[in-house]
Amino acid sequence: MINDHYRQFGGMNEVPKKDPYSGEDMAPIRNAAARIMRSLVMKFTLLTGALIFATTIMLMTLEGFSVQRETRNLLVDRSVATLEAVATRLSSNIATSDVEFVDGYLDELVSTMEHGELYVLNNRREVLGEAYHDARTTLDRTTDALAIMALGAGDLRHSVDGTTVEIAVPVYTQNRRLVGVIYARQNLVQLTQTLSSMIKRQALIALFALGVFLPLAALIVRRALQPVRELTSAARLASSKNLDMRINIKSGDELEVLANAFNRMFARLDGNLKRIHRLAYVDLVTELPNRERFRKEAERVTRQALDENGEGAVLFLDLDRFKRVNDSLGIGEGDRLLEMVARRLSEVARGCDLANDRVTDPSLVARLGGDEFTVLLPKIDGESDAARVAKKLVDAIKLPFEISGHQVHLGVSIGIAVFPQDGADPETLLRHADLAMAHVKRAGGSSAHFFEPAMNHSAFERLVLENELRDAVLKDQLVVYYQPKVTMDDSTVAGAEALVRWQHPTAGLLAPGAFITAAEECGLIVEMGDWVLRAACKEAARWRSLGKEYPVAVNVSAMQFEREGFAASVLDALEDAGLPPHLLELELTESIAMKDPERVISQVQPLRDRGVSFAIDDFGTGHSSLAYLTRMPFDVFKIDQSFVRDMTTDPHARIVVETILAMAESLKLKTVAEGVETAEQMTLLRAQGATLAQGFYFGRPMSASDFVEYTERSDRDRAAG
Ligand code: C2E
Ligand code: MG
Ligand code: MG
């Protein structure tokens, strides 16, 4: 009701009601008053007050009635006695019908009464005298029932009506002869007065009772309702999710029973809530906060950072080699390993917090799923802070883990996104940190890298590229170009290198630089490499059928080479094409060749035994171990084009070329100088004793048919001398 009232009169356009004197807003006072009026204490107090008041009034009224009755009886008795005395006094006068005396006597008598009327009848019902105070009643004295009845019966009659009493007293002479009747009607003024003073007194007593008992009642009700207040505030606390409390009511009544029921309910709710919370926000394998909890916390701290102009960071962690370890350990042990990783990450993060005295804003380590974790640093002083924490995490994970008596070596790749500049919401920050992490993974892992806007761009482009590349393989958009290799001394064609091209539907002919890395990253390189190998073998077989026995060189990528069954697939390609193995040369880059020399030897040897030759591509750019080089089953060094390009201008490059050539000579290997573009380079290389040359100077990579034409032209030129 009160609320309705406020709504009605306190609408949007209403000026708030002000105190006319102080000018202060009165709404709070009114609200407080309304609240008090609605409170149970007030209701019970008012009820008690009303009961006290009603009870007092009822008791007083009952008491009043009995007092009134007694007073009236007393007054009637007194009037009867007076009238009987008058009857005795006037009996002889009445018997003699002494009208004068009787009338005079009555006049005198009436003057002593405050309100009243008197008359006397003789036994013949004749009025002997009458007297009245204010005005005479209209009743017919000779037939008035009461007086006639008293006269007829010879005894006293009276009737009381409210405060008016009528008495008729028969008059007897001394010898008991009935001679008449005296009638008196009297207003009992005293009774009225008694009544009004009694009402006044009763009201006073009732008010007094109210004054004394009402505060007392309020006090008692307040005390009695204290547990209800406690229950209310407990329920209010519970609704604000604080269920970890108990109500202590020892009143021994229903409220104590209710409080105990509340406590049991809170305890159960608390347990359930904690269970739900755990399921919703905790990762059950590692006991770390999960993705959802991380998202919420990140949302809070990024908002805070924006408000306070602060800086923080999200670190995206992905374990290196975890999958391999997990596969070999089994799921149970894998989970244990994750648990150990989680503990180590938490310890490192906590250590960083303490070092920086950031206990109030601790970092949060969460598990996103699989082998992915995040660390949220709510406050950093510049990027170096985040980099320092990331480095510590990388170092910590590098240390071996002891599991089931084995030492397990892991690594972690960390991408860092700093907020607010790299994103202001958890999703963006995670995405960016993830991109930076992928960058670390590509570069070999076990390190950390900050997000750069270019990564966003390249990630999208790469996605498009990968999808298109898949199409390229399926839709036969790949073509093989051939670049001639010539002999140093007379520049006759001595073979060709097969170089893949992509006939892109919209972008035109693409060189490998535009797509090889993407193909390697999405694994398509295996399929692609196999396709190139088969195409090149077929082409070389075709040259052979034309009477040109040129060996063809095919590039092999690391993934392709490391795959089980590589040797078999090469032999298969040769057989399918009908090409003798000695007409195939496989090029491995120096980094592949030196990554795991023992394994390379075991992979290469069977093919080499069949006659396939091997070349180390881009030689000079990697870190070859001399010890292994001497044992490696290779046939050709391909001198990287950067040395060839610079050898005419840079003495260091020339020394590298000289050294490679000398080394090849002592190891009895052939050499191919790549990227020969000028006659000067050619002269120098020839002087230094390189075996073959390959470069724009002789011919760019060209289509298969162009290459055949090229060889024919070259043959013609040679024949012409
Ligand atoms: P690479 O094996 O070192 O191939 C030689 C690269 O040098 C070719 O680039 C060729 O066009 C270029 N080149 C040759 N002579 C000259 C010259 O005189 N000057 C200059 N500036 N460059 C010259 P291309 O065709 O763009 O291939 C680049 C790389 O892509 C190759 O380097 C090779 O590592 C890779 N590649 C090409 N085809 C394949 C393939 O089928 N499979 C794999 N795995 N890799 C391939
Ligand atoms: Mg090559
Ligand atoms: Mg090369």
Side-chain angles (χ1 to χ4, degrees):
M1 275 302 282
I2 290 169
N3 278 346
D4 286 345
H5 174 86
Y6 273 85
R7 235 172 276 137
Q8 243 176 322
F9 297 103
M12 295 265 281
N13 301 325
E14 286 275 328
V15 178
K17 297 273 185 312
K18 303 260 181 186
D19 186 303
Y21 302 106
S22 65
E24 281 172 12
D25 190 355
M26 289 174 67
I29 301 166
R30 224 170 280 166
N31 282 343
R35 221 174 21 249
I36 290 170
M37 287 309 289
R38 277 200 307 265
S39 77
L40 267 185
V41 174
M42 186 47 83
K43 281 177 188 162
F44 277 124
T45 307
L46 287 180
L47 188 72
T48 316
L51 280 176
I52 293 172
F53 195 73
T55 314
T56 315
I57 292 297
M58 200 182 76
L59 289 175
M60 295 288 178
T61 309
L62 286 178
E63 172 70 6
F65 275 135
S66 78
V67 168
Q68 200 181 344
R69 199 170 45 244
E70 278 170 21
T71 313
R72 192 172 44 214
N73 289 347
L74 205 72
L75 288 173
V76 169
D77 287 351
R78 215 193 291 159
S79 300
V80 168
T82 310
L83 228 54
E84 276 175 346
V86 170
T88 312
R89 170 71 187 82
L90 291 180
S91 62
S92 54
N93 306 78
I94 294 168
T96 56
S97 295
D98 184 354
V99 171
E100 202 177 326
F101 183 79
V102 170
D103 202 36
Y105 192 88
L106 289 185
D107 280 346
E108 245 175 68
L109 190 64
V110 89
S111 66
T112 63
M113 294 160 61
E114 279 183 51
H115 297 282
E117 189 175 353
L118 292 163
Y119 66 88
V120 173
L121 298 180
N122 61 13
N123 50 11
R124 292 183 299 278
R125 296 191 199 172
E126 289 161 352
V127 178
L128 297 183
E130 62 180 357
Y132 41 84
H133 221 275
D134 307 314
R136 183 188 183 281
T137 48
T138 50
L139 58 92
D140 182 357
R141 308 219 189 280
T142 54
T143 58
D144 182 33
L146 198 76
I148 298 307
M149 266 161 57
L151 191 61
D155 54 13
L156 182 129
R157 290 288 152 102
H158 71 82
S159 91
V160 181
D161 179 19
T163 54
T164 305
V165 62
E166 285 178 283
I167 306 167
V169 176
V171 182
Y172 288 94
T173 57
Q174 269 176 347
N175 46 8
R176 295 286 310 151
R177 189 171 61 92
L178 183 63
V179 289
V181 63
I182 300 177
Y183 168 91
R185 192 177 57 80
Q186 198 181 350
N187 200 342
L188 301 177
V189 182
Q190 217 176 332
L191 192 67
T192 321
Q193 279 170 352
T194 317
L195 212 62
S196 79
S197 70
M198 192 179 69
I199 287 169
K200 273 186 207 149
R201 202 171 54 243
Q202 282 175 353
L204 270 177
I205 291 171
L207 283 177
F208 177 76
L210 268 186
V212 171
F213 291 114
L214 207 59
L216 208 67
L219 212 72
I220 292 165
V221 170
R222 223 185 129 72
R223 272 189 74 91
L225 290 182
Q226 176 61 26
V228 175
R229 267 204 301 282
E230 276 177 37
L231 285 170
T232 311
S233 60
R236 207 173 281 149
L237 255 175
S239 71
S240 64
K241 289 198 188 136
N242 185 356
L243 288 167
D244 194 15
M245 42 100 188
R246 294 293 164 260
I247 313 165
N248 192 13
I249 293 175
K250 290 276 169 273
S251 54
D253 54 15
E254 292 90 334
L255 289 175
E256 186 179 329
V257 176
L258 185 64
N260 289 339
F262 260 62
N263 282 339
R264 276 196 300 278
M265 182 179 77
F266 287 158
R268 191 167 297 172
L269 279 177
D270 197 26
N272 286 346
L273 216 65
K274 280 185 179 139
R275 245 192 310 280
I276 290 169
H277 188 275
R278 195 172 127 75
L279 288 176
Y281 294 118
V282 176
D283 170 59
L284 299 181
V285 174
T286 59
E287 293 292 324
L288 285 181
N290 66 4
R291 180 186 283 270
E292 188 53 28
R293 169 80 204 289
F294 166 81
R295 207 185 53 72
K296 283 202 159 188
E297 193 57 19
E299 215 164 67
R300 186 186 69 76
V301 300
T302 46
R303 216 177 308 124
Q304 191 174 331
L306 278 180
D307 291 347
E308 295 172 0
N309 262 337
E311 237 187 355
V314 167
L315 275 58
F316 192 110
L317 289 77
D318 189 296
L319 299 178
D320 304 330
R321 289 185 296 282
F322 177 76
K323 200 179 153 6
R324 210 185 302 160
V325 174
N326 194 37
D327 288 348
S328 61
L329 284 177
I331 290 188
E333 296 294 88
D335 283 358
R336 269 195 56 214
L337 182 58
L338 282 174
E339 232 181 288
M340 290 160 104
V341 169
R343 213 171 308 131
R344 210 176 273 185
L345 292 176
S346 303
E347 275 163 20
V348 173
R350 214 174 308 132
C352 293
D353 282 343
L354 291 175
N356 276 313
D357 203 12
R358 278 199 225 113
V359 201
T360 45
D361 245 325
S363 52
L364 177 91
V365 181
R367 178 172 175 232
L368 298 183
D371 60 350
E372 291 176 347
F373 295 82
T374 50
V375 178
L376 175 69
L377 303 176
K379 252 185 205 153
I380 55 167
D381 299 329
E383 289 190 349
S384 59
D385 228 6
R388 190 176 48 78
V389 177
K391 188 178 176 318
K392 282 192 176 164
L393 292 168
V394 170
D395 290 348
I397 298 302
K398 262 189 204 157
L399 299 174
F401 292 89
E402 178 92 28
I403 197 148
S404 311
H406 299 289
Q407 286 220 328
V408 174
H409 291 268
L410 290 177
V412 66
S413 302
I414 304 182
I416 310 169
V418 174
F419 52 86
Q421 64 258 39
D422 293 342
D425 60 278
E427 281 74 25
T428 314
L429 284 165
L430 267 186
R431 190 158 38 82
H432 287 170
D434 187 11
L435 285 175
M437 186 281 295
H439 182 89
V440 177
K441 274 263 143 113
R442 279 198 293 277
S446 241
S447 178
H449 200 283
F450 282 91
F451 165 75
E452 289 157 17
M455 291 174 180
N456 223 341
H457 191 56
S458 62
F460 177 70
E461 283 178 348
R462 176 148 302 160
L463 193 72
V464 174
L465 185 68
E466 281 178 13
N467 285 334
E468 288 184 344
L469 209 54
R470 259 175 245 282
D471 268 8
V473 179
L474 293 174
K475 292 181 181 167
D476 256 359
Q477 291 171 356
L478 299 178
V479 275
V480 183
Y481 270 39
Y482 299 89
Q483 187 177 32
K485 286 193 275 189
V486 299
T487 55
M488 271 292 164
D489 25 326
D490 59 359
S491 300
T492 53
V493 179
E497 180 177 2
L499 295 160
V500 71
R501 297 287 181 269
W502 177 8
Q503 189 63 56
H504 192 274
T506 52
L509 194 68
L510 298 178
F515 58 90
I516 284 284
T517 319
E520 277 171 344
E521 273 171 14
C522 68
L524 266 175
I525 192 71
V526 175
E527 207 175 320
M528 241 168 81
D530 209 48
W531 183 87
V532 173
L533 176 73
R534 282 169 179 278
C537 287
K538 275 189 198 130
E539 190 57 26
R542 194 171 74 91
W543 300 335
R544 190 164 170 255
S545 71
L546 297 174
K548 304 166 195 292
E549 288 232 339
Y550 298 133
V552 69
V554 178
N555 293 285
V556 176
S557 77
M559 201 182 279
Q560 199 183 349
F561 179 69
E562 283 165 7
R563 204 174 44 130
E564 289 290 316
F566 167 72
S569 75
V570 173
L571 294 175
D572 212 38
L574 285 169
E575 200 181 315
D576 274 5
L579 185 72
H582 75 273
L583 290 180
L584 177 66
E585 184 176 289
L586 295 176
E587 294 188 9
L588 300 176
T589 59
E590 196 183 351
S591 52
I592 304 176
M594 290 300 145
K595 197 170 155 197
D596 185 355
E598 295 295 346
R599 194 173 142 76
V600 170
I601 294 169
S602 70
Q603 285 272 80
V604 165
Q605 203 54 57
L607 286 170
R608 210 163 161 262
D609 291 345
R610 300 285 192 98
V612 177
S613 51
F614 279 85
I616 302 189
D617 203 355
D618 305 338
F619 192 70
T621 53
H623 307 276
S624 290
S625 147
L626 280 177
Y628 277 115
L629 266 184
T630 54
R631 292 177 48 210
M632 287 298 222
F634 284 103
D635 308 279
V636 183
F637 279 165
K638 288 192 82 176
I639 306 167
D640 190 68
Q641 48 181 281
S642 59
F643 306 114
V644 176
R645 188 181 56 228
D646 299 338
M647 65 185 290
T648 49
T649 49
D650 180 0
H652 296 289
R654 194 190 300 184
I655 292 169
V656 173
V657 174
E658 276 173 14
T659 314
I660 295 173
L661 290 173
M663 199 156 61
E665 200 184 349
S666 61
L667 290 170
K668 303 208 172 6
L669 300 182
K670 284 189 278 181
T671 47
V672 179
E674 278 192 283
V676 181
E677 291 185 353
T678 63
E680 199 188 349
Q681 289 165 346
M682 186 61 186
T683 318
L684 209 59
L685 285 163
R686 195 181 286 140
Q688 287 175 351
T691 329
L692 298 176
Q694 179 184 346
F696 295 171
Y697 183 65
F698 308 103
R700 289 178 179 262
M702 56 193 86
S703 68
S705 56
D706 284 354
F707 177 73
V708 173
E709 241 175 65
Y710 176 92
T711 57
E712 276 164 4
R713 209 168 39 242
S714 152
D715 284 350
R716 273 197 307 273
D717 289 351
R718 205 156 45 111

Tab-separated table of all heavy atoms in Angstrom, residues 585-619:
chain	number	residue	atom	x	y	z
A	585	GLU	N	68.399	-38.541	-58.198
A	585	GLU	CA	69.227	-37.968	-57.126
A	585	GLU	C	68.273	-37.313	-56.144
A	585	GLU	O	67.368	-36.588	-56.552
A	585	GLU	CB	70.167	-36.926	-57.733
A	585	GLU	CG	71.148	-36.317	-56.754
A	585	GLU	CD	72.108	-35.357	-57.485
A	585	GLU	OE1	72.964	-35.825	-58.248
A	585	GLU	OE2	71.945	-34.138	-57.284
A	586	LEU	N	68.455	-37.617	-54.878
A	586	LEU	CA	67.575	-36.999	-53.880
A	586	LEU	C	68.347	-35.927	-53.126
A	586	LEU	O	69.479	-36.161	-52.696
A	586	LEU	CB	67.037	-38.059	-52.911
A	586	LEU	CG	66.129	-39.106	-53.563
A	586	LEU	CD1	65.725	-40.166	-52.543
A	586	LEU	CD2	64.878	-38.459	-54.166
A	587	GLU	N	67.704	-34.740	-52.978
A	587	GLU	CA	68.373	-33.633	-52.287
A	587	GLU	C	67.799	-33.478	-50.876
A	587	GLU	O	66.588	-33.338	-50.708
A	587	GLU	CB	68.171	-32.322	-53.059
A	587	GLU	CG	68.848	-32.308	-54.413
A	587	GLU	CD	68.790	-30.926	-55.073
A	587	GLU	OE1	68.367	-29.952	-54.403
A	587	GLU	OE2	69.148	-30.834	-56.255
A	588	LEU	N	68.691	-33.549	-49.901
A	588	LEU	CA	68.285	-33.299	-48.507
A	588	LEU	C	69.003	-32.040	-48.058
A	588	LEU	O	70.181	-31.874	-48.363
A	588	LEU	CB	68.727	-34.453	-47.599
A	588	LEU	CG	68.200	-35.842	-47.910
A	588	LEU	CD1	68.845	-36.848	-46.949
A	588	LEU	CD2	66.691	-35.876	-47.745
A	589	THR	N	68.313	-31.198	-47.311
A	589	THR	CA	69.019	-29.992	-46.852
A	589	THR	C	70.004	-30.389	-45.764
A	589	THR	O	69.872	-31.458	-45.143
A	589	THR	CB	68.049	-28.943	-46.266
A	589	THR	OG1	67.371	-29.551	-45.192
A	589	THR	CG2	67.084	-28.432	-47.303
A	590	GLU	N	70.959	-29.518	-45.538
A	590	GLU	CA	72.001	-29.809	-44.568
A	590	GLU	C	71.385	-30.021	-43.179
A	590	GLU	O	71.824	-30.883	-42.415
A	590	GLU	CB	72.994	-28.639	-44.550
A	590	GLU	CG	74.301	-28.995	-43.888
A	590	GLU	CD	75.234	-27.793	-43.825
A	590	GLU	OE1	74.916	-26.759	-44.445
A	590	GLU	OE2	76.258	-27.888	-43.148
A	591	SER	N	70.322	-29.225	-42.885
A	591	SER	CA	69.738	-29.351	-41.541
A	591	SER	C	69.069	-30.715	-41.350
A	591	SER	O	69.142	-31.296	-40.273
A	591	SER	CB	68.752	-28.219	-41.269
A	591	SER	OG	67.817	-28.152	-42.310
A	592	ILE	N	68.468	-31.269	-42.418
A	592	ILE	CA	67.873	-32.609	-42.278
A	592	ILE	C	68.991	-33.632	-42.110
A	592	ILE	O	68.937	-34.506	-41.243
A	592	ILE	CB	67.043	-33.012	-43.529
A	592	ILE	CG1	65.958	-31.978	-43.834
A	592	ILE	CG2	66.445	-34.391	-43.347
A	592	ILE	CD1	65.174	-32.285	-45.109
A	593	ALA	N	69.998	-33.451	-42.924
A	593	ALA	CA	71.091	-34.425	-42.932
A	593	ALA	C	71.798	-34.501	-41.575
A	593	ALA	O	72.244	-35.564	-41.166
A	593	ALA	CB	72.086	-34.075	-44.029
A	594	MET	N	71.864	-33.359	-40.886
A	594	MET	CA	72.635	-33.331	-39.644
A	594	MET	C	71.781	-33.465	-38.373
A	594	MET	O	72.308	-33.533	-37.282
A	594	MET	CB	73.445	-32.032	-39.552
A	594	MET	CG	74.591	-31.980	-40.541
A	594	MET	SD	75.731	-33.351	-40.258
A	594	MET	CE	76.248	-33.719	-41.912
A	595	LYS	N	70.457	-33.516	-38.544
A	595	LYS	CA	69.586	-33.554	-37.366
A	595	LYS	C	69.810	-34.828	-36.553
A	595	LYS	O	69.986	-34.793	-35.340
A	595	LYS	CB	68.121	-33.494	-37.827
A	595	LYS	CG	67.154	-33.118	-36.729
A	595	LYS	CD	65.790	-32.843	-37.339
A	595	LYS	CE	64.687	-33.049	-36.340
A	595	LYS	NZ	63.415	-33.177	-37.036
A	596	ASP	N	69.781	-35.955	-37.253
A	596	ASP	CA	69.980	-37.232	-36.566
A	596	ASP	C	70.797	-38.113	-37.512
A	596	ASP	O	70.275	-38.995	-38.207
A	596	ASP	CB	68.607	-37.850	-36.270
A	596	ASP	CG	68.729	-39.124	-35.450
A	596	ASP	OD1	69.878	-39.567	-35.208
A	596	ASP	OD2	67.682	-39.667	-35.065
A	597	PRO	N	72.140	-37.841	-37.578
A	597	PRO	CA	72.974	-38.476	-38.605
A	597	PRO	C	72.839	-39.994	-38.654
A	597	PRO	O	72.748	-40.574	-39.750
A	597	PRO	CB	74.388	-38.057	-38.211
A	597	PRO	CG	74.200	-36.811	-37.421
A	597	PRO	CD	72.914	-36.955	-36.717
A	598	GLU	N	72.788	-40.649	-37.491
A	598	GLU	CA	72.712	-42.119	-37.478
A	598	GLU	C	71.486	-42.596	-38.240
A	598	GLU	O	71.536	-43.530	-39.029
A	598	GLU	CB	72.637	-42.633	-36.028
A	598	GLU	CG	73.877	-42.355	-35.205
A	598	GLU	CD	75.112	-43.102	-35.723
A	598	GLU	OE1	74.947	-44.028	-36.553
A	598	GLU	OE2	76.235	-42.731	-35.313
A	599	ARG	N	70.372	-41.912	-37.954
A	599	ARG	CA	69.112	-42.293	-38.584
A	599	ARG	C	69.160	-42.012	-40.093
A	599	ARG	O	68.684	-42.813	-40.906
A	599	ARG	CB	67.997	-41.483	-37.935
A	599	ARG	CG	66.615	-41.999	-38.251
A	599	ARG	CD	65.574	-41.257	-37.429
A	599	ARG	NE	64.372	-41.026	-38.210
A	599	ARG	CZ	63.471	-41.958	-38.472
A	599	ARG	NH1	63.651	-43.181	-38.006
A	599	ARG	NH2	62.406	-41.679	-39.195
A	600	VAL	N	69.800	-40.879	-40.444
A	600	VAL	CA	69.910	-40.528	-41.858
A	600	VAL	C	70.697	-41.625	-42.595
A	600	VAL	O	70.289	-42.087	-43.657
A	600	VAL	CB	70.597	-39.154	-42.022
A	600	VAL	CG1	70.941	-38.877	-43.477
A	600	VAL	CG2	69.695	-38.057	-41.466
A	601	ILE	N	71.761	-42.011	-41.953
A	601	ILE	CA	72.584	-43.048	-42.594
A	601	ILE	C	71.744	-44.299	-42.849
A	601	ILE	O	71.736	-44.869	-43.946
A	601	ILE	CB	73.828	-43.374	-41.728
A	601	ILE	CG1	74.753	-42.148	-41.678
A	601	ILE	CG2	74.575	-44.588	-42.269
A	601	ILE	CD1	75.868	-42.228	-40.660
A	602	SER	N	70.986	-44.699	-41.827
A	602	SER	CA	70.205	-45.930	-41.981
A	602	SER	C	69.085	-45.772	-43.020
A	602	SER	O	68.666	-46.749	-43.633
A	602	SER	CB	69.626	-46.356	-40.631
A	602	SER	OG	68.625	-45.446	-40.247
A	603	GLN	N	68.568	-44.551	-43.215
A	603	GLN	CA	67.503	-44.328	-44.196
A	603	GLN	C	68.067	-44.279	-45.624
A	603	GLN	O	67.428	-44.744	-46.557
A	603	GLN	CB	66.817	-42.969	-43.938
A	603	GLN	CG	65.878	-42.930	-42.754
A	603	GLN	CD	64.486	-43.354	-43.149
A	603	GLN	OE1	64.237	-44.557	-43.256
A	603	GLN	NE2	63.584	-42.417	-43.364
A	604	VAL	N	69.256	-43.658	-45.723
A	604	VAL	CA	69.837	-43.394	-47.036
A	604	VAL	C	70.462	-44.657	-47.637
A	604	VAL	O	70.322	-44.937	-48.818
A	604	VAL	CB	70.867	-42.239	-46.931
A	604	VAL	CG1	71.753	-42.182	-48.163
A	604	VAL	CG2	70.157	-40.914	-46.690
A	605	GLN	N	71.139	-45.389	-46.763
A	605	GLN	CA	71.964	-46.496	-47.247
A	605	GLN	C	71.236	-47.491	-48.159
A	605	GLN	O	71.736	-47.776	-49.256
A	605	GLN	CB	72.623	-47.209	-46.053
A	605	GLN	CG	73.890	-47.980	-46.426
A	605	GLN	CD	74.917	-47.090	-47.143
A	605	GLN	OE1	75.338	-46.064	-46.616
A	605	GLN	NE2	75.297	-47.464	-48.381
A	606	PRO	N	70.043	-47.976	-47.760
A	606	PRO	CA	69.387	-48.967	-48.641
A	606	PRO	C	69.116	-48.437	-50.043
A	606	PRO	O	69.280	-49.188	-51.020
A	606	PRO	CB	68.068	-49.265	-47.928
A	606	PRO	CG	68.017	-48.464	-46.703
A	606	PRO	CD	69.270	-47.694	-46.554
A	607	LEU	N	68.741	-47.139	-50.134
A	607	LEU	CA	68.451	-46.570	-51.457
A	607	LEU	C	69.736	-46.390	-52.245
A	607	LEU	O	69.794	-46.607	-53.456
A	607	LEU	CB	67.741	-45.219	-51.304
A	607	LEU	CG	66.274	-45.303	-50.879
A	607	LEU	CD1	65.748	-43.933	-50.528
A	607	LEU	CD2	65.453	-45.918	-52.016
A	608	ARG	N	70.745	-46.001	-51.511
A	608	ARG	CA	72.026	-45.762	-52.156
A	608	ARG	C	72.600	-47.077	-52.708
A	608	ARG	O	73.200	-47.101	-53.779
A	608	ARG	CB	72.981	-45.128	-51.153
A	608	ARG	CG	73.978	-44.227	-51.848
A	608	ARG	CD	74.632	-43.300	-50.899
A	608	ARG	NE	75.855	-42.794	-51.502
A	608	ARG	CZ	77.048	-43.279	-51.261
A	608	ARG	NH1	77.210	-44.263	-50.406
A	608	ARG	NH2	78.109	-42.776	-51.866
A	609	ASP	N	72.344	-48.161	-51.933
A	609	ASP	CA	72.807	-49.478	-52.378
A	609	ASP	C	72.166	-49.869	-53.712
A	609	ASP	O	72.754	-50.578	-54.514
A	609	ASP	CB	72.475	-50.539	-51.331
A	609	ASP	CG	73.304	-50.347	-50.067
A	609	ASP	OD1	74.301	-49.588	-50.140
A	609	ASP	OD2	72.944	-50.921	-49.005
A	610	ARG	N	70.933	-49.344	-53.912
A	610	ARG	CA	70.258	-49.657	-55.177
A	610	ARG	C	70.721	-48.752	-56.321
A	610	ARG	O	70.335	-48.944	-57.457
A	610	ARG	CB	68.745	-49.442	-55.047
A	610	ARG	CG	68.093	-50.294	-53.987
A	610	ARG	CD	67.995	-51.739	-54.507
A	610	ARG	NE	67.140	-52.523	-53.654
A	610	ARG	CZ	65.857	-52.771	-53.908
A	610	ARG	NH1	65.308	-52.312	-54.984
A	610	ARG	NH2	65.157	-53.510	-53.085
A	611	GLY	N	71.438	-47.695	-55.967
A	611	GLY	CA	71.964	-46.834	-57.040
A	611	GLY	C	71.459	-45.407	-57.005
A	611	GLY	O	71.888	-44.554	-57.783
A	612	VAL	N	70.516	-45.134	-56.105
A	612	VAL	CA	70.020	-43.747	-55.992
A	612	VAL	C	71.134	-42.901	-55.372
A	612	VAL	O	71.801	-43.337	-54.436
A	612	VAL	CB	68.771	-43.688	-55.098
A	612	VAL	CG1	68.295	-42.252	-54.926
A	612	VAL	CG2	67.662	-44.555	-55.669
A	613	SER	N	71.367	-41.704	-55.915
A	613	SER	CA	72.401	-40.856	-55.294
A	613	SER	C	71.768	-39.773	-54.426
A	613	SER	O	70.582	-39.432	-54.579
A	613	SER	CB	73.335	-40.266	-56.350
A	613	SER	OG	72.584	-39.657	-57.364
A	614	PHE	N	72.584	-39.275	-53.523
A	614	PHE	CA	72.083	-38.278	-52.572
A	614	PHE	C	72.927	-37.017	-52.587
A	614	PHE	O	74.151	-37.080	-52.684
A	614	PHE	CB	72.076	-38.866	-51.156
A	614	PHE	CG	70.875	-39.728	-50.907
A	614	PHE	CD1	70.889	-41.075	-51.280
A	614	PHE	CD2	69.728	-39.201	-50.336
A	614	PHE	CE1	69.784	-41.871	-51.072
A	614	PHE	CE2	68.625	-40.004	-50.120
A	614	PHE	CZ	68.642	-41.338	-50.487
A	615	ALA	N	72.237	-35.874	-52.441
A	615	ALA	CA	72.969	-34.604	-52.414
A	615	ALA	C	72.607	-33.841	-51.139
A	615	ALA	O	71.479	-33.941	-50.660
A	615	ALA	CB	72.587	-33.774	-53.634
A	616	ILE	N	73.576	-33.126	-50.598
A	616	ILE	CA	73.248	-32.222	-49.491
A	616	ILE	C	73.003	-30.857	-50.119
A	616	ILE	O	73.904	-30.257	-50.708
A	616	ILE	CB	74.377	-32.115	-48.444
A	616	ILE	CG1	74.695	-33.509	-47.881
A	616	ILE	CG2	73.962	-31.177	-47.325
A	616	ILE	CD1	75.637	-33.477	-46.697
A	617	ASP	N	71.735	-30.419	-49.969
A	617	ASP	CA	71.306	-29.163	-50.580
A	617	ASP	C	71.687	-27.987	-49.673
A	617	ASP	O	71.811	-28.145	-48.457
A	617	ASP	CB	69.784	-29.218	-50.751
A	617	ASP	CG	69.284	-28.283	-51.842
A	617	ASP	OD1	70.098	-27.528	-52.394
A	617	ASP	OD2	68.065	-28.325	-52.117
A	618	ASP	N	71.840	-26.831	-50.286
A	618	ASP	CA	72.128	-25.585	-49.545
A	618	ASP	C	73.300	-25.779	-48.590
A	618	ASP	O	73.284	-25.291	-47.458
A	618	ASP	CB	70.896	-25.118	-48.764
A	618	ASP	CG	69.687	-24.957	-49.664
A	618	ASP	OD1	69.882	-24.785	-50.883
A	618	ASP	OD2	68.553	-25.004	-49.158
A	619	PHE	N	74.301	-26.510	-49.064
A	619	PHE	CA	75.430	-26.816	-48.183
A	619	PHE	C	76.191	-25.549	-47.812
A	619	PHE	O	76.434	-24.688	-48.634
A	619	PHE	CB	76.374	-27.839	-48.849
A	619	PHE	CG	77.380	-28.403	-47.905
A	619	PHE	CD1	77.000	-29.273	-46.885
A	619	PHE	CD2	78.722	-28.043	-48.003
A	619	PHE	CE1	77.930	-29.782	-46.005
A	619	PHE	CE2	79.660	-28.548	-47.120
A	619	PHE	CZ	79.261	-29.419	-46.100
